[in-house]
Structure formats: structure tokens, C-alpha cells
Amino acid sequence: MSTIMITPMIKRYLSLDVLRGLTVAFMIIVNNPGSWSHIFPPLRHAAWDGCTPCDLVFPFFMFCVGASMAYALAKYSSLTLQAAGKVFKRGLLLYLVGLLLTAFPFYPANMDPDFSFWENWVNWAGHVRLLGILARIAMCYVLGSILVLWLRKPVKLIGAALGLGALHVGLLLAFAGPEGAFSLEGNFARTLDIAVFGESHIYTGFGIPFDPEGLLGVLTGTCTIIIGYLIGMMIRSSAKRYTMTGAVDDSPVGVSARLFTLAAGALLAGLALGLIVPVNKALWSVSYVIYTAGWAMFVLALLMYLIDVKGWEKPFFPFKALGMNALALFVLSGLAMKVIWRYTDWDYTQVFGGSEEMSLLFAVLYLLPHLLIAILLYKKKIFIKL
């Protein structure tokens, strides 16, 4: 007589999907105001040092990328050629999608009548930004995945994160300009990007060429990925033990309590370190990594308690659906806004640009169709993976 072994299903925490969806929703809101001249202070990035709610959005998404890797990379036991190939392929795809989104619609918006179309196009191509949000995600995803597959053990990954953070600070200090290691004008991150890409291919929104998604920040951005991965592994392994043994410490309540404790420690550590190394999103400083990871863990713990413990899933369903197609809907939001600006005559700032309230209203209204698309995709079980 043969024996059939039944393996119990490991609990999947819906709070992880909801956190990713809420993060993308907030990204869409802060990236698409009715007017850039009228924005509530919490929805603005800090001018330089400091951290506003708006500055939490990007590291939250990177944290979610890391947490998702705990599940996506579980099928690989080590760093094999096959695994590395898939990681590099996905990273390249993410970078190319980001570059295409930046360059769309692939010709200059304003033509100089004194030059031919070809001359205008060459000048435009010579100023396309080569970095950006998706480029940062791509590079940190690749480096983080390689480290995870290579090192595997949490202790070694913590050591790798500490090493990357120390290298980041060391390079900033060793090659600082006269204005200061952590200043806009004197930081080494700016020097590095100008040397690699040239001033014409990096961000100029700070008044001078400086890219907040530059190369040096990949080191500390990867630290955020690793922290997310370690938290994802903690959740996944706890769920597995709870499924098998029913241990109280591994229950959703126990995991949520553990996350709250880790969050409090990270927030205090980030603030303390910020007295030496400023909390700075543009530089993605080590204090910023720890501080924002603390907030990500806090929000995840809260969502876990509300959704996975209390069972409040329905109110969060739209964000769960958005979280299942997070990158695709983020790309769509950027593409749709470019189409509105380029190919329609509707100047929505005339209606929504007169006050902070109206500016926020436009951002929320712009979010709604993306939520609807996410729900429709979820209902049809269509999940677009970049």
C-alpha cells in the first residue's frame, strides 16, 4: 500500500502585497500633482537633509522588492549560472523600460526652428537622462540578488550590508569637495556620475547637475534591498514553522510584534546615526537606509496586524490588487501622464493648479483609474512581471 504525503500550504501574508500596493499608490500621488507649485509639505521631498513622508515612498518600494526576493529566489539553493542569468536579464529589462519611459516619445518636445529635425533630435538625445527610479531599482536588484544567492546566511548578508554602508560613507568622506562630504556641491556621488555619464545625462532639478538616483547610491540602495529580503525571510520562515508546529511566536501576532520591536530599534538607530551622517534621500545615506527601513517595518507590522491577524482584508483589496501589478501600473502612470502632456490640449493645471487642495485632488483622481485597472487585471488573474 502506498502512502500519500500531504504537505500543508504555507500561509501567505497578504500584508506584503498591500504594502507594495499602498507604496505604488503613494508614488503615483506624489509624482502627479495638479500643480508642482501647490503641494502640501508632507508630499514634497526634503530640500536636502531630512525626511518627509514623500521621502519614504521610494525606500518602501525597494524594501518590498527585497521582501519579494525572499519568495522569488527561494527556488535557487546557490548562485548558479542559470540563476545569475535570470537576475541579470530582469535587471536589464527594468533598466531598459526605465530608459524608454524617460525618453518617450523619443523626440524633442520643443523644436528649434533654426535647426533641422535631425539636429534637434541629436541635441535632445545628447541630454536624455540615463538614470532614474527604475534604473536604481534594476541595479540594486541585481547586486542584492547576487549577494543573496552567494551568501545565503543572514549573518553574512548583514555583514555585506554593513560593508556596503561603510564603503558608501568612506567614499563620500575620502573624495569630498571643499563644500563638504554630505553637501550638494561637494559630495562624491555627484563627481562620480558626472565622470561616468557627463553633465548632460544626469538630473538637474537641484539647480546643478546631481542625480539622486546615481551610481554611488546603488551601494546603500542595495542595503535597503537586503533589509527587505531579511524581513521577508523572517516572515516566510515563521509562516513555515507556524504551519508545521503552530508555535505562538511564529503566529501572525508574534511576527507582527517582532516587527514592531525591530521597527522601533531601526528608527532610533537611524535617528542616532543621523547626528553623524545626515538622513538624506538624495545621497541615500546609511542613516536614511536604517531610518526608512524602520518606518517600512512599522507600517508592515501594522498592516500585518490589521489584515493577517484581524482579518480586515476587504478595505485593502484595491491596494492588494495594485501590489500584484505594482511595477506595470507605475510605468503606466508615468506613460499616461506623458501622453496627456504631449498629445492632448487639456491643461489640467488651469483647473487643479490653484491650491494645495485642488492639486491633491487631481493626484487622487489620477490614481483612481490605475486602481481600477489593477482590480480588473487581478480579477482576470493577469499579473505582469517585469
Side-chain angles (χ1 to χ4, degrees):
M1 174 184 277
S2 61
T3 302
I4 300 175
M5 300 293 294
I6 301 177
T7 303
M9 289 189 65
I10 298 174
K11 175 181 176 61
R12 177 179 175 87
Y13 282 89
L14 300 177
S15 47
L16 284 169
D17 297 325
V18 172
L19 177 62
R20 188 164 53 246
L22 282 169
T23 299
V24 173
F26 200 24
M27 288 175 92
I28 293 173
I29 286 175
V30 301
N31 286 343
N32 301 283
S35 168
W36 289 103
S37 300
H38 294 89
I39 305 174
F40 285 111
L43 301 180
R44 292 182 181 273
H45 291 296
W48 188 245
D49 293 337
C51 185
T52 70
C54 182
D55 292 320
L56 296 176
V57 180
F58 195 7
F60 269 40
F61 195 86
M62 297 278 275
F63 177 91
C64 290
V65 170
S68 298
M69 282 164 46
Y71 295 85
L73 298 181
K75 58 187 174 183
Y76 301 111
S77 59
S78 62
L79 180 58
T80 63
L81 285 177
Q82 180 188 15
K86 287 185 177 294
V87 166
F88 278 106
K89 180 180 178 181
R90 184 167 189 246
L92 180 60
L93 179 60
L94 282 170
Y95 178 83
L96 290 177
V97 169
L99 183 61
L100 292 174
L101 181 61
T102 298
F104 180 85
F106 317 118
Y107 63 89
N110 300 308
M111 296 284 189
D112 188 329
D114 295 330
F115 296 96
S116 67
F117 175 87
W118 175 248
E119 290 171 326
N120 275 285
W121 190 89
V122 169
N123 180 64
W124 165 83
H127 290 81
V128 172
R129 185 185 177 198
L130 297 178
L131 299 170
I133 291 175
L134 289 179
R136 168 64 61 83
I137 294 173
M139 288 185 279
C140 292
Y141 165 77
V142 170
L143 180 56
S145 296
I146 295 302
L147 289 173
V148 162
L149 292 169
W150 176 37
L151 300 175
R152 306 302 299 184
K153 295 184 180 299
V155 173
K156 292 182 178 180
L157 287 170
I158 292 172
L162 291 173
L164 291 173
L167 179 60
H168 185 268
V169 174
L171 290 171
L172 286 173
L173 292 174
F175 299 100
E179 300 85 356
F182 306 110
S183 68
L184 170 60
E185 298 82 2
N187 70 82
F188 174 63
R190 176 172 180 262
T191 305
L192 177 63
D193 290 334
I194 291 175
V196 174
F197 300 106
E199 292 188 0
S200 61
H201 287 293
I202 62 177
Y203 187 71
T204 56
F206 285 88
I208 62 174
F210 169 78
D211 208 304
E213 280 81 50
L215 291 177
L216 191 66
V218 173
L219 299 176
T220 40
T222 302
C223 294
T224 301
I225 293 274
I226 290 174
I227 293 172
Y229 173 81
L230 291 172
I231 295 301
M233 282 299 297
M234 183 195 79
I235 293 172
R236 184 173 177 273
S237 59
S238 295
K240 184 176 181 179
R241 289 194 299 268
Y242 182 63
T243 301
M244 301 297 181
T245 67
V248 175
D249 288 346
D250 293 319
S251 68
V253 174
V255 176
S256 178
R258 205 179 312 162
L259 270 177
F260 274 123
T261 303
L262 290 171
L267 287 169
L268 290 174
L271 289 173
L273 184 57
L275 299 174
I276 304 171
V277 179
V279 175
N280 187 297
K281 175 192 178 293
L283 292 175
W284 212 280
S285 62
V286 290
S287 57
Y288 174 77
V289 169
I290 299 170
Y291 181 71
T292 55
W295 277 116
M297 286 185 274
F298 176 84
V299 174
L300 178 57
L302 181 60
L303 290 173
M304 190 176 292
Y305 180 75
L306 294 175
I307 299 170
D308 299 299
V309 176
K310 291 295 186 179
W312 295 4
E313 180 182 349
K314 288 185 178 179
F316 294 99
F317 172 72
F319 302 104
K320 173 189 172 184
L322 184 58
M324 298 300 288
N325 277 295
L327 276 171
L329 269 297
F330 172 71
V331 171
L332 176 63
S333 70
L335 186 63
M337 183 54 65
K338 285 199 166 191
V339 169
I340 290 173
W341 271 108
R342 182 62 68 92
Y343 297 111
T344 72
D345 295 327
W346 180 44
D347 185 1
Y348 60 82
T349 61
Q350 297 297 316
V351 179
F352 295 97
S355 68
E356 282 78 5
E357 291 81 5
M358 292 301 292
S359 183
L360 176 59
L361 176 61
F362 175 81
V364 173
L365 291 175
Y366 186 71
L367 168 65
L368 293 181
H370 294 85
L371 284 175
L372 179 60
I373 293 170
I375 291 171
L376 293 174
L377 290 173
Y378 183 86
K379 293 288 188 181
K380 292 184 176 295
K381 293 181 168 47
I382 298 174
F383 306 112
I384 302 170
K385 303 296 183 183
L386 293 181

